[in-house]
Amino acid sequence: MDVYVIQQIVNALSAGSLYALMAVGLALIFGILRLINFAHGDVMMVAAYLAAFSLFAGLPLPVALGIMVGGTVLIGLAIERIAYRPIRGGPEVAMLLTSFAVGQILQNGTLLLTRLASQPIQIAFPTPDVLQGVVAIGRVTIPKVNVVGFGSGMVILVGVMLFLTRTRTGLSMHAAADDLPAAQLVGIRINRVVAAAFALSAALASVAGLLYASQAGQINPYLGFTPVLKAFIAAVIGGFGSIPGAVVGAYALGFLEVIPTALGGIADILPVGAVSPEIDDLLRTIFPSALGSYRDAIVFLFLILMLLFRPNGILGGGAREDVP
Amino acid sequence: MLELVDLHVAYGNIRALRGISMRVESGELVALIGSNGAGKSTTLKAISGLLRPTSGRILFEGEDISRASTDRIVSLGISQCPEGRRVFARLTVRENLLLGGITRPMSEVRSDLASTTELFPRLGERMGQVAGTLSGGEQQMLAIGRALMSRPRLLILDEPSLGLAPLMVERIFEVIDGLKDRGLTMLLVEQNVHHALDSADRAYVLETGTITLEGPADMLRHDPEVEHSYLGR
Amino acid sequence: MSALRIPRRTLVLLLAASGTLALLQLSGLAFWQGLAINFAIFIILVQALNMASGFTGVFSLGHIGFMAIGAYTSAILTLPLATKSEYLPNLPGWLAGIHLDVAVGPLPVGFFAATLVAGLVAMVVAGLVGAVLMRLSGHFVAVATLGFLVIVRVVLFNADDITRGSRTFSNVTPYTNLWWAWGWAVIAIYVAWRVKFSGLGRAMFAQKADRWAARSIGISILRPRLIAFVAGAFLSAIAGSLYAHFITSFSPTVFYFDLTFRVITMLVVGGMGSVSGAVIGTALVLALAEALRRIEGATLLYGLGGILLAVFFIAVIIFRPSGIMGQREVDLDRVLGWRPRWRRGRPDAEPSRRG
């Protein structure tokens, strides 16, 4: 039982790191541009493909990672320059729709390139050795990718926080998010700050892409859709646009997600005779073994409730649009 | 130092400025007064590069800056302290001031922090405080301090006394007078016409996008039109 | 109103349209028949989204979820009893007994009834969901409705006993033909048109333009939004039913983001808020997608079509953000020969209706 609990906690922390890497990127860009960048998940997908093809080509891991991060950053910058800059400051929905279209381009572009490379749509990800296998601590065995994911996620996030609070470029991002015209008036180069935000967010997404692909073991051009939605939920939980909030929200979501999986069918895991038959019946009714497969539905229901009752996050107050 | 030549600005079909010309000489404090919607803010936005004029020129020390980017204009030496203070509410006082010097090398900016806090001791006491939690008067001090951090040769102040308590208004104008004594060139937009004309050397009156009056501040203060419309006498 | 007098021009056009459909039906050109049915189904989907989002400015990404509800509801209801007990053995008893596969002469009234029930089911769900979601603003409503779409998908995948889960749902009777599809498409266009130029429609557009101003003159915001959302859900479910009985086998994966994005593209290209624009946008994007699909098939460059469509979409948003028609309309009254009451003697009374 205790082993089970520990494993679930590690799962939650590992998923939380992945969501945090994604959610910080979403929050950075939303803070400055009021743009919900749905293409962010597809940027992450592209990173996974860059890593996969670099490794297929037999490049050493550090080089492959360099190509992954560098290539993803270039793509992030190109997207900002070509698609988002012309409609900057436009209606929110127009920006959101553009990000959907950008996502479609990335998905179909990846599809096209894999076809040209005579690869199937779904390919096995060549997970690097450091992320393969399990770590055993006593009776608890944990997939290495989860340990590395959680650890590297934390290190990177701390680095991002330092960058955002200790450097002038980081502070400029905050200033632009706080008050864009005032930021311009002090002489901040908005184009550069926005580009830096996109570059940073793409770099974070590339790490998330590597972790996601290593966990899943397989990649396809459509894998970014669910993670970006999850990252969005994480950002909403933390109060959209807030960077620390996004991190807190991501780990909260990691735990929230584990709950239906962990509790679903809990009666089957308990040792026989551990609880009275009445409680066993009750557990089977409230937490049927199918609960885990409804996980995403439960999480999105939670998102809708969050948007309604605490749109400024678990820490912020309520600010729902006041409609009679 | 600054010269606007036949400046026109339009928002779509609405002509906000219909050919205004004005100048600010080195060392001068020039006031720009006028009622709401006369085009004062539009003029300032055009000078700072937030708006593009449809025609006309904006010359700063002889260079036409009417098409330059805002950050370039700040680097050239024009700094604007915006209406409503607009401090970066979630950043600390110190961070606000540091960002004010973003166009300059970090080492110089650090040493300038000291001289700014000398001018505004209150800010010096609150360096680590988040700007959003300052009082209105303190935020105005911070906004001026932030604008000074770029070491401007021309400081533009947009409604610095708006919404402040009378005592704080006095304090703000003391600061403005002090800056003037140091020889800083300033362009002041102010609804408190009384105070503005007391401090200014010269003034322009803007009405519906055109300059209707201009001259030494002393003279305008006794102009019957100005007395009637803006001084409420 | 005195006895309804239908202008000769309308009759002629209706006859011409029916004649075209009849000719197409008789021609046996299966590809063109299929395309025409697809066109009609997309028109219904786009008009549904037009009402829900174009009229009100509340961006819904969830209406394909209602289409899914319509498709499954109607497909299950029309299964003949024999097939049903074998195909969906674990269906709840009350549902297992219903079989709307009856016909009166050549008319499959059971299909018509099932389609209506599908629409009503979607309306009830939309009423519940919308009462909650229509309070949200801007892009948050878009994301929340996307959340609804995900929830529908998860439920479809997991409710094995009713939907067969991730397995393909087949054995659907192929009721949908040119007449059903176009009959409903004309109804969808007509409903959208009437709503747009009603008091309710004006309330929808008013709160879209300025919700505070609308409030201050006493226009409720929630009510027009909710009505538009629910009406859009009804039409989407109708389209779902038509789709189910056209394609005859489908799985939950169809009703997801790609289809959502396709419908949005059609609406945005045509002009959000324009009924005639929605039809034009649908035709244009459908033709473009079909052409690109053929190019993909010929060159084997799968993915190219999706890229080009998305590029086209971004170009529209950048260079013509209000679409081909904006909120304006082709002057349908003039085309059909009507002289509406509001324009009698005042030729320019409704400038927004001119194309």
Side-chain angles (χ1 to χ4, degrees), chain A residues 126-186:
Chain A
T127 305
D129 288 341
V130 284
L131 296 175
Q132 272 181 357
V134 293
V135 186
I137 306 165
R139 286 187 300 137
V140 189
T141 54
I142 303 161
K144 252 192 208 168
V145 62
N146 284 2
V147 179
V148 176
F150 174 64
S152 60
M154 284 304 251
V155 171
I156 292 171
L157 290 168
V158 168
V160 170
M161 290 299 162
L162 289 176
F163 169 76
L164 288 174
T165 51
R166 296 281 188 277
T167 67
R168 285 212 288 189
T169 309
L171 288 176
S172 299
M173 288 182 193
H174 275 297
D178 245 12
D179 189 332
L180 199 60
Q184 274 178 289
L185 281 178
V186 299

Side-chain angles (χ1 to χ4, degrees), chain B residues 53-64:
Chain B
T54 39
S55 70
R57 289 187 299 161
I58 302 169
L59 300 171
F60 183 63
E61 302 191 317
E63 185 182 340
D64 189 351

Side-chain angles (χ1 to χ4, degrees), chain B residues 100-156:
Chain B
I102 189 110
T103 52
R104 301 174 48 233
M106 196 62 184
S107 53
E108 288 181 27
V109 174
R110 280 193 204 287
S111 60
D112 279 6
L113 273 180
S115 52
T116 303
T117 47
E118 210 172 288
L119 191 61
F120 302 106
R122 282 278 269 285
L123 295 183
E125 296 160 16
R126 293 163 196 267
M127 289 300 260
Q129 193 173 328
V130 174
T133 60
L134 297 175
S135 74
E138 289 164 346
Q139 288 192 4
Q140 186 61 58
M141 304 278 180
L142 176 57
I144 296 175
R146 184 181 65 184
L148 288 172
M149 288 297 289
S150 67
R151 286 220 184 148
R153 279 177 293 161
L154 170 65
L155 176 65
I156 299 176

Side-chain angles (χ1 to χ4, degrees), chain B residues 29-33 197 200-205 213-217 220:
Chain B
L29 169 50
V30 172
L32 180 61
I33 57 181
L197 291 182
D201 298 308
R202 290 189 305 116
Y204 292 86
V205 177
L213 267 177
E214 60 174 286
L220 286 187

Side-chain angles (χ1 to χ4, degrees), chain A residues 30 34 36 38 82-83 86-87 92-94 96-98 100-102 104-105 108-109 111-112 115-116 225 229 232 240 293-294 296-297 300-301 303-304 307-308 320-324, chain C residues 59 61 132-133 135-140 142-144 146-147 150-151 154-155 158-159 211-212 215 221-222 225 256-258 261 264 268 301-303 306-307 310-311 313-314 317-318:
Chain A
F30 182 83
R34 306 281 120 186
I36 297 177
F38 254 95
I82 298 167
I87 53 156
E92 289 171 354
V93 169
L96 179 67
L97 292 179
T98 304
F100 286 142
V102 169
Q104 294 276 311
I105 292 173
N108 284 293
L111 178 68
L112 183 59
R115 287 294 183 115
L116 289 177
F225 189 68
L229 287 179
F232 179 80
F240 217 95
S293 49
Y294 281 95
D296 284 1
F300 279 95
L301 203 60
L303 163 77
I304 291 170
L307 285 173
L308 273 175
R320 145 181 103 181
E321 184 172 20
D322 187 18
V323 290
Chain C
F59 216 86
L61 297 173
V132 178
L133 293 190
R135 293 167 193 281
L136 295 169
S137 66
H139 41 206
F140 287 111
V143 178
L146 189 59
V150 175
I151 291 172
V154 172
V155 171
N158 286 292
R211 57 178 193 272
W212 298 115
R215 262 184 88 166
I221 294 168
L222 188 55
R225 281 184 178 185
Y256 211 40
F257 192 70
D258 282 352
F261 188 69
I264 289 171
V268 169
L301 295 174
Y302 292 102
I307 296 175
V311 168
F313 180 75
I314 293 179
I317 287 192
I318 294 176

